[in-house]
Amino acid sequence: MAAKTEGTESAQPKRPGMADGVCSEFTVFTKIKPGHADALGKDLADIESGSSTEENRAALNEIGTLHDARHVIFDDDTRFMFASVFDGSWDTYIDDFAKTVVGANFEKIFSHAEGFPGIADPNVKDWFVAHQAPAGLFVSSYPDLTVQQIWKDQRVNEAFQAVLDTPSSGRRSTIRPTRRCWPRRPSRSCSTKPRANAEEPSPESITGPHRPIPVGRSWREGLGGQPRLGMEKPGRGGGRGCVPAARGYPSCAGT
């Protein structure tokens, strides 16, 4: 946090006020013309109401640099304060507002202040500087976020929440669980390690469900119509967790 000095463009003069990150503060105190307090209060209420609010919102969206603003009548209706927080340079802030409906609002409101030259007057910036009171301390909770970035973050979050809140409309999920076929958790009678000193048996010595199928024979042949373990008919489970005994593994019969 530091007073704005070199942060503004070099072509623009030094302006009062403090900045925290990309955010700057602007506070103006003025004296209300005698007998104008009620009119000023009415103008503020009109700006806040109905269609004026919509126009002001549209103008603020067009400018896209104002974080917040306050209008306060105080000191027994004799003084008026305007305070705001904005992005960018001081001069650009004033110029942008003067080009929109907000500039017309400034004209209406500050017309009740003593000595106000008018928003279109070339000396209006000097008048604001003369009545501006820089903050002694200015802190922003999000000093690195501009108004535009905040709006973008909000749009992204709303889109994400909409996806989370949208029901599936009864449609089946396109994500299907993967079928786990191998390795299957072996049973107690099926060891995952070969027996010590296991000898490779000859095909003629192997009988039962683990008898190997001769090359070229179908899965129903060679065993009298009984499929070998691990060569079961497609679409039927069973037997995928054990290796045939011909490879030196124990029999899995009965598992």
Side-chain angles (χ1 to χ4, degrees):
M1 295 176 292
K4 288 183 67 175
T5 54
E6 302 300 327
T8 55
E9 298 178 7
S10 59
Q12 297 175 344
K14 178 181 176 180
R15 301 299 188 183
M18 297 190 71
D20 187 12
V22 298
C23 304
S24 300
E25 59 89 17
F26 177 74
T27 306
V28 170
F29 293 95
T30 70
K31 291 183 178 181
I32 300 175
K33 294 178 180 179
H36 280 245
D38 291 341
L40 174 57
K42 183 179 182 302
D43 287 341
L44 292 175
D46 291 342
I47 292 174
E48 186 183 8
S49 64
S51 60
S52 296
T53 300
E54 297 180 0
E55 293 177 356
N56 292 330
R57 293 290 183 187
L60 295 178
N61 290 338
E62 179 183 351
I63 296 171
T65 59
L66 182 67
H67 288 264
D68 60 72
R70 297 162 300 289
H71 302 263
V72 181
I73 299 174
F74 67 104
D75 203 4
D76 294 329
D77 294 347
T78 61
R79 300 180 68 191
F80 172 72
M81 180 197 78
F82 172 78
S84 65
V85 177
F86 62 93
D87 299 325
S89 72
W90 189 99
D91 287 84
T92 301
Y93 169 69
I94 300 298
D95 292 339
D96 287 345
F97 276 90
K99 299 174 183 177
T100 65
V101 65
V102 180
N105 292 338
F106 269 42
E107 181 72 38
K108 182 184 295 185
I109 292 171
F110 283 101
S111 66
H112 302 291
E114 293 183 355
F116 183 67
I119 196 68
D121 191 283
N123 298 318
V124 68
K125 291 183 179 180
D126 294 334
W127 186 88
F128 278 124
V129 170
H131 291 79
Q132 184 174 350
L137 177 66
F138 173 63
V139 180
S140 173
S141 294
Y142 40 90
D144 298 325
L145 292 177
T146 66
V147 173
Q148 297 288 345
Q149 290 171 323
I150 293 172
W151 287 346
K152 179 180 179 180
D153 291 346
Q154 182 182 19
R155 291 192 299 269
V156 171
N157 181 65
E158 289 176 350
F160 180 70
Q161 293 299 329
V163 172
L164 294 181
D165 295 339
T166 301
S168 59
S169 303
R171 294 180 297 177
R172 299 179 63 181
S173 175
T174 57
I175 303 177
R176 299 180 179 179
T178 303
R179 182 179 179 183
R180 183 179 180 183
C181 297
W182 181 267
R184 177 175 291 180
R185 185 177 182 181
S187 64
R188 294 181 179 178
S189 61
C190 182
S191 173
T192 58
K193 297 182 179 180
R195 293 176 298 185
N197 302 322
E199 297 181 0
E200 184 75 15
S202 63
E204 292 77 15
S205 65
I206 301 176
T207 60
H210 292 279
R211 183 180 178 183
I213 300 176
V215 178
R217 304 284 293 276
S218 68
W219 70 277
R220 283 190 180 276
E221 299 177 89
L223 296 178
Q226 184 178 13
R228 187 184 66 153
L229 188 62
M231 296 291 291
E232 66 275 3
K233 185 177 180 180
R236 299 182 183 273
R240 291 180 181 268
C242 300
V243 180
R247 297 183 182 177
Y249 283 75
S251 173
C252 294
T255 60

